[in-house]
Amino acid sequence: MQNAKILIIEDAETLRRELTAFLKNYGYEVEAPDDFQNVMNYASQDDVHLILLDINLPVYDGYYICREIRKYSQVPIIIVTSRDTEVDELMSMNIGADDFITKPYNTQILLARIENILRRTYAKQESAVMTYKDLKLHLANGTISYQGKKEELTKNEIKILHCLMKNNGIIVSREQLMEDLWSSDLFVDDNTLSVNITRLRKKIEAIGMENPIETRRGLGYIMS
């Protein structure tokens, strides 16, 4: 996966530095903080694609960090540790880690594991992008982007924009939009639909694109 960002949570400075250099040589963006008091702040960044996580760490151990991350994110986590018992591996997988590698490890094998997990995790998501001119709807993470700027959408807003993009150049009636929302258990009435479309337009304008959703009075909406 191109331009993937990997977060290394490892307290051994030499290992952290060597691993950072190694992964950068293979084209990855790498962040390797030495601030373990605030490590959760690094782990919660939404541009991190994979985390290499040691277990024996200062302040919080790797098990705690993994559990906390899994409360809000499914970002891939590879446990990289000197603890090599079956119990450690089983516990790591049970709390949500995607892979378990013991030290010392072969860097090429570690690289292969990283590439496999990134490919499995993001290959489908990368294709789940709808585009209208330069406006992109990222279905995997529920965001829109336009010329480098990004906004998060609610479920209703995603569904509305998805429907309009799918019917690019065709007028979509309000009834059709509400039916589309109802079919996905997103129950809305006429007023709620108006509120959601207004919010969606504001979010699109906030990232720099002039409102691409035209109202056709008495007929519905169109992206043309």
Side-chain angles (χ1 to χ4, degrees), residues 2 13 16-17 37 40 47 61 70-71 93 113 116 126 132 153 167 178 197 209 224:
Q2 298 294 319
E13 183 178 352
R16 188 170 66 239
R17 188 172 59 248
Q37 183 67 47
M40 294 306 303
D47 60 345
D61 68 24
R70 282 293 174 259
K71 290 179 180 177
M93 306 310 279
R113 298 275 190 95
N116 285 339
E126 284 183 335
Y132 170 79
L153 300 183
N167 292 283
M178 285 193 286
I197 288 178
M209 186 178 199
S224 59

Side-chain angles (χ1 to χ4, degrees), residues 108-132:
Q108 290 300 325
I109 292 176
L110 175 63
L111 183 65
R113 298 275 190 95
I114 290 171
E115 290 173 345
N116 285 339
I117 288 179
L118 287 174
R119 185 166 50 247
R120 289 202 307 269
T121 305
Y122 296 104
K124 184 177 179 181
Q125 294 183 11
E126 284 183 335
S127 65
V129 178
M130 300 184 74
T131 302
Y132 170 79

Side-chain angles (χ1 to χ4, degrees), residues 50-66:
L50 184 143
I51 297 174
L52 298 179
L53 177 61
D54 193 7
I55 294 176
N56 297 322
L57 293 167
V59 188
Y60 307 107
D61 68 24
Y63 293 138
Y64 173 85
I65 293 170
C66 188

Side-chain angles (χ1 to χ4, degrees), residues 128-155:
V129 178
M130 300 184 74
T131 302
Y132 170 79
K133 297 182 179 175
D134 287 335
L135 176 68
K136 296 183 186 299
L137 170 61
H138 305 270
L139 296 168
N141 61 13
T143 62
I144 50 173
S145 63
Y146 179 73
Q147 296 182 351
K149 296 182 179 179
K150 188 169 72 172
E151 273 280 349
E152 292 185 5
L153 300 183
T154 65
K155 287 183 181 178

Side-chain angles (χ1 to χ4, degrees), residues 68-94:
E68 290 300 302
I69 292 171
R70 282 293 174 259
K71 290 179 180 177
Y72 60 84
S73 171
Q74 291 302 312
V75 63
I77 298 173
I78 299 178
I79 299 291
V80 183
T81 179
S82 56
R83 295 169 64 159
D84 58 358
T85 70
E86 291 181 349
V87 172
D88 287 313
E89 182 170 359
L90 183 60
M91 182 177 295
S92 297
M93 306 310 279
N94 283 341

